[in-house]
Amino acid sequence: MINDRSRVKDVYATPIGRDVIDKILLQLDRPHWIITNPLVSNLRISRVRKLSREHLDDAFWETFYWLLNLETDQPGASNPQPAWPWWKEAVFYQIYPRSFADSNQDGIGDINGIRSKLDYLQSLGVDALWLSPIYDSPNDDNGYDIRDYRAIMDEMGTMEDFDLLLEEVHERGMRLIMDLVVNHSSDEHAWFQEALNNPESPYRSYYFFRPGADGLPNNWRSYFSGPAWRYYPEQDVYTLHLFSEKQPDLNWDHEPMRQDIMEMVRWWLDKGVDGFRLDVINYISKREGLPDGNDTIRELITFGGIENYFYGPNLNKYLRELRREAFDPYDAFSVGETPGIGLELGRLLSGADRKELDLVFNFDQLEAPGKARFDDYSYDLNYLKKYYIKYHSRLSDNDWMSIFWENHDHPRMISKVNPDPGQRRLLAKLLLVWLLTMKGTPFVYQGQELGAVNQKFSSIADMRDVESVNLYAELSAEQGEESAWATVLTGSRDHARVPMNWDETPGNGFSTVEAWLPRPEGDDGWSVAAQEADPDSVLADFRRLMALRKQYTALRRGSISFIKEKRHDYFAYLREWQGEKILVELNLSDLSHLRSQASAGDKLLYTNVKPAEQEGAGRRRLLPYQAAIYLCK
Ligand code: TEU
Ligand code: CA
């Protein structure tokens, strides 16, 4: 047990302690030796409390000890015979159905639109599709607010359309996973409507209701601005919502609710889906009594109250139950979206021996140290390099990691790194080499295979994302519209949600009517059609890289070792499997020329620069943003 007598090094030796301290160092952009140096690491916590009493009150330490003593397990050390289930070698492709393809010209993507693109998806060589939610929803958060878990959203089509999609995906040898949003439902779900209007209803315990007379039950904040509690005057009651006001949190401590969720999961698995991406699944277990969040922690990791639910007391129990009673009987795949979870907790949630999740999405790689999504800065790829070197230095054969840096919640990576249009093609290809050769399971987000970039939205009227709209209103009130707009434009999730760019016609082949979220510019020359016709396109190279993955087992299963780790702007690693050795070299800068470490006998399998350019620089040089893959002799 961690207490005042413990030393800093004892805290850092616990999985939660290490992740929380690493997260705080990351947010403050401070080096680890601040904690690991002998002077500090041998300090007793009682001493640290005395030294920091102006900043950290007793409430902070109470929460700190509660949190650290939640988890006494350590991640599995090694797994002598790691298994090779399909999802370890697969490449997943995430579809945001609302923006993928519109088959009935209502300006909204749908299931039959996806069906019409299965040839394209199969031509990419991807192994599995992940659909963002298509269940019945009022679309307050574009489907992440589910009104009926067993019905298809009208805008997406019918259950028959879905059954045909699933059959056609399987016929093509691909798999399909759905997005399972069960931390919360829509406020229009029958459970919630009955619970709200009938305090005696059995569904009342499916949510977190608190008496209105007592005022705001705690100081937790919503991710979509404002308090995490909505007041219903007629019923004089509050309900908890970590996200929008129309997304009330489900109470996982109530066993009948869990049983209903598991029955629904089995219903979809009986239909033949291959697994699920579980939305904010680490939030489902909240600390008993829903106590206030600590102000100091809020200042350090922004969202107030998160320490009371990001890794709650019953999380492991609920995940094991969900796996045992719903997933395992179907051998179904699971990847948990786990915001706020660090490396060590991610290992506890997804280690092969843990029987909880198969994979997690860690988000620490998405922003540079000290930065958050709405900060306007240039993302330095040297940080992404350090992230993967650190991760792989700590993982064992008992672990496996997801590899991604784009999805429907984040701006496009190319624009974060370097918005110069002249660098787009080269940088897009470099990032795809990295995504498809790093050790782990790659998740490609729609448009990444085209080199998609951020959009030039001109005002908040161009945007649809509830998070962006709420944040703009909140910031405008605080700092004025111009500053609010600059912030929202930087980090809006709508950058990744504009319709796919299928061809060079007006509307980009997505729909013949104006799309629900119009693209501000046509992005000429970057459509699928234009790139299909260009052998040097990002799309063409995506297919080349996917073919290399299929050809070389080392790229799927291989060990990883890093070369010249300390050399700035240079990132190189070896993937080895049963004698097959692949070298990947990346120049992370648009300026410097770097010396290649490839040997004379190594066979160049792929590079993103033209032969003439390479000749000019000489074979021993890596040009700016050059990526190269070699089969070592
Ligand atoms: O995202 C949760 C999440 O971590 C991010 O949305 C982030 O918290 C948010 O953008 C605020 O920074 C999942 C889904 O991916 C997202 O689309 C949903 O809006 C959210 O959960 C609620 O279901
Ligand atoms: Ca449609």
Side-chain angles (χ1 to χ4, degrees):
M1 289 290 279
I2 299 293
N3 56 37
D4 277 357
R5 306 249 339 113
S6 307
R7 298 178 187 276
V8 167
K9 63 187 175 187
D10 303 324
V11 169
Y12 203 55
T14 67
I16 291 186
R18 178 152 196 172
D19 279 357
V20 168
I21 290 172
D22 282 359
K23 175 79 70 183
I24 290 170
L25 293 175
L26 186 66
Q27 301 275 69
L28 298 176
D29 193 11
R30 292 286 183 280
H32 286 83
W33 63 258
I34 281 187
I35 294 292
T36 53
N37 71 73
L39 188 66
V40 171
S41 65
N42 283 304
L43 277 179
R44 289 203 189 280
I45 300 299
S46 52
R47 184 92 183 99
V48 176
R49 289 186 71 158
K50 283 198 184 67
L51 293 170
S52 59
R53 59 177 169 279
E54 285 84 62
H55 307 286
L56 304 177
D57 57 13
D58 286 350
F60 169 86
W61 291 105
E62 187 279 327
T63 297
F64 186 74
Y65 288 144
W66 170 79
L67 199 52
L68 257 57
N69 291 315
L70 268 181
E71 182 56 77
T72 52
D73 288 357
Q74 288 291 347
S78 73
N79 179 0
Q81 293 298 328
W84 292 104
W86 65 269
W87 49 265
K88 276 191 176 177
E89 303 191 70
V91 175
F92 284 77
Y93 185 95
Q94 182 193 355
I95 292 174
Y96 195 68
R98 201 172 179 80
S99 306
F100 194 65
D102 172 17
S103 70
N104 63 340
Q105 311 321 323
D106 63 355
I108 300 171
D110 47 56
I111 291 171
N112 288 333
I114 298 170
R115 291 178 59 205
S116 73
K117 300 296 183 185
L118 288 179
D119 284 342
Y120 169 75
L121 291 166
Q122 189 168 18
S123 78
L124 295 179
V126 297
D127 306 283
L129 307 178
W130 151 27
L131 302 188
S132 276
I134 56 172
Y135 315 93
D136 176 43
S137 164
N139 285 303
D140 185 61
D141 187 16
N142 290 353
Y144 283 91
D145 48 320
I146 296 171
R147 180 168 50 199
D148 181 344
Y149 286 95
R150 300 189 203 197
I152 298 295
M153 186 193 307
D154 289 343
E155 294 89 330
M156 291 292 151
T158 65
M159 189 59 82
E160 292 67 37
D161 297 333
F162 172 78
D163 291 341
L164 286 170
L165 170 67
L166 183 61
E167 186 184 324
E168 290 156 6
V169 166
H170 284 162
E171 277 165 6
R172 293 161 183 273
M174 295 189 286
R175 289 180 165 90
L176 186 141
I177 69 169
M178 304 277 277
D179 209 314
L180 189 62
V181 188
V182 289
N183 171 71
H184 47 270
S185 75
S186 164
D187 67 339
E188 297 183 25
H189 193 289
W191 293 343
F192 184 79
Q193 284 303 311
E194 184 177 325
L196 177 66
N197 294 305
N198 173 9
E200 304 313 313
S201 159
Y203 293 110
R204 189 79 172 190
S205 302
Y206 277 41
Y207 298 88
F208 295 94
F209 285 102
R210 293 293 181 275
D214 304 353
L216 272 178
N218 65 29
N219 64 2
W220 297 7
R221 305 291 293 172
S222 158
Y223 290 97
F224 295 160
S225 304
W229 295 90
R230 177 176 177 179
Y231 180 61
Y232 293 85
E234 302 89 78
Q235 295 81 3
D236 187 26
V237 74
Y238 283 97
T239 196
L240 176 68
H241 63 88
L242 294 179
F243 291 93
S244 89
E245 286 201 335
K246 286 180 66 60
Q247 292 170 291
D249 279 58
L250 286 161
N251 173 14
W252 275 71
D253 294 331
H254 188 57
E255 208 263 348
M257 195 294 291
R258 300 202 306 272
Q259 287 302 333
D260 265 340
I261 293 291
M262 289 187 281
E263 193 181 318
M264 176 269 293
V265 169
R266 289 192 293 266
W267 187 84
W268 281 101
L269 292 171
D270 279 330
K271 290 174 73 68
V273 299
D274 298 288
F276 292 90
R277 174 265 194 189
L278 293 90
D279 189 66
V280 289
I281 198 64
N282 58 302
Y283 289 175
I284 60 175
S285 168
K286 276 79 172 173
R287 184 175 181 181
E288 194 172 349
L290 310 184
D292 270 350
N294 181 273
D295 291 339
T296 310
I297 294 175
R298 184 215 318 259
E299 280 145 34
L300 281 174
I301 45 178
T302 53
F303 295 104
I306 192 171
E307 69 274 21
N308 290 307
Y309 59 78
F310 88 103
Y311 190 86
N314 294 310
L315 177 60
N316 309 101
K317 173 187 165 195
Y318 297 154
L319 290 177
R320 286 187 179 136
E321 179 187 65
L322 180 62
R323 184 181 185 117
R324 184 180 61 247
E325 298 189 23
F327 279 67
D328 275 354
Y330 300 83
D331 194 20
F333 167 75
S334 63
V335 52
E337 188 217 18
T338 52
I341 291 292
L343 196 162
E344 296 304 325
L345 289 182
R347 297 179 64 201
L348 286 173
L349 292 177
S350 62
D353 61 340
R354 300 278 299 176
K355 298 294 174 209
E356 297 185 28
L357 299 165
D358 289 323
L359 282 176
V360 292
F361 288 148
N362 176 295
F363 291 91
D364 289 343
Q365 77 282 19
L366 294 188
E367 302 302 339
K371 299 297 182 189
R373 173 155 50 95
F374 288 99
D375 290 333
D376 188 8
Y377 70 99
S378 290
Y379 183 102
D380 180 354
L381 288 173
N382 286 284
Y383 168 63
L384 195 62
K385 161 186 171 181
K386 287 189 197 121
Y387 172 85
Y388 283 110
I389 291 173
K390 166 184 161 186
Y391 233 98
H392 282 298
S393 71
R394 301 252 287 273
L395 296 189
S396 75
D397 287 336
N398 191 49
D399 307 307
W400 195 254
M401 73 183 293
S402 61
I403 311 295
F404 75 99
W405 36 77
E406 291 195 21
N407 62 27
H408 64 292
D409 289 336
H410 291 272
R412 293 288 184 174
M413 191 56 150
I414 294 171
S415 300
K416 287 160 67 171
V417 173
N418 187 335
D420 172 2
Q423 298 290 2
R424 179 175 174 180
R425 182 185 293 245
L426 213 46
L427 182 52
K429 292 178 179 182
L430 177 137
L431 288 169
L432 288 176
V433 168
W434 195 333
L435 181 66
L436 297 173
T437 63
M438 177 47 60
K439 183 179 180 184
T441 295
F443 285 76
V444 180
Y445 177 61
Q446 70 180 45
Q448 247 182 303
E449 78 276 20
L450 303 174
V453 293
N454 284 350
Q455 299 293 309
K456 300 185 186 69
F457 296 111
S458 53
S459 81
I460 194 62
D462 287 348
M463 292 187 173
R464 298 292 178 274
D465 177 12
V466 60
E467 179 197 51
S468 297
V469 171
N470 289 0
L471 183 62
Y472 178 77
E474 181 187 350
L475 295 180
S476 296
E478 289 169 9
Q479 50 188 271
E481 291 184 356
E482 192 175 334
S483 158
W485 174 242
T487 301
V488 169
L489 181 60
T490 298
S492 176
R493 303 187 297 179
D494 276 341
H495 284 297
R497 300 180 176 187
V498 291
M500 272 287 279
N501 186 2
W502 293 107
D503 65 35
E504 303 291 310
T505 64
N508 301 100
F510 167 74
S511 177
T512 57
V513 300
E514 181 170 279
W516 69 279
L517 170 63
R519 295 174 68 92
E521 74 278 348
D523 209 6
D524 297 348
W526 289 89
S527 67
V528 168
Q531 297 198 41
E532 291 284 14
D534 173 1
D536 186 44
S537 64
V538 175
L539 177 60
D541 281 13
F542 180 88
R543 291 191 174 110
R544 289 188 179 98
L545 293 167
M546 289 294 288
L548 286 178
R549 256 188 82 87
K550 296 248 188 299
Q551 183 176 356
Y552 294 100
T553 308
L555 291 178
R556 303 189 307 278
R557 297 189 178 198
S559 63
I560 191 165
S561 53
F562 299 99
I563 296 171
K564 295 225 181 275
E565 295 177 36
K566 298 283 182 250
R567 180 193 280 182
H568 189 66
D569 283 344
Y570 177 77
F571 187 34
Y573 44 92
L574 277 175
R575 300 295 313 275
E576 297 182 74
W577 177 262
Q578 295 177 358
E580 191 178 84
K581 205 156 113 174
I582 302 272
L583 168 66
V584 179
E585 284 192 306
L586 307 172
N587 182 344
L588 308 182
S589 155
D590 60 343
L591 298 171
S592 51
H593 286 59
L594 296 169
R595 182 171 178 71
S596 166
Q597 295 303 304
S599 308
D602 292 348
K603 180 184 176 202
L604 180 66
L605 298 176
Y606 169 85
T607 187
N608 59 348
V609 302
K610 294 188 171 60
E613 290 166 333
Q614 187 70 68
E615 283 315 303
R619 182 177 145 82
R620 310 293 303 160
R621 310 303 295 176
L622 275 178
L623 282 80
Y625 286 150
Q626 181 170 2
I629 306 175
Y630 294 89
L631 175 63
C632 301
K633 61 181 182 303

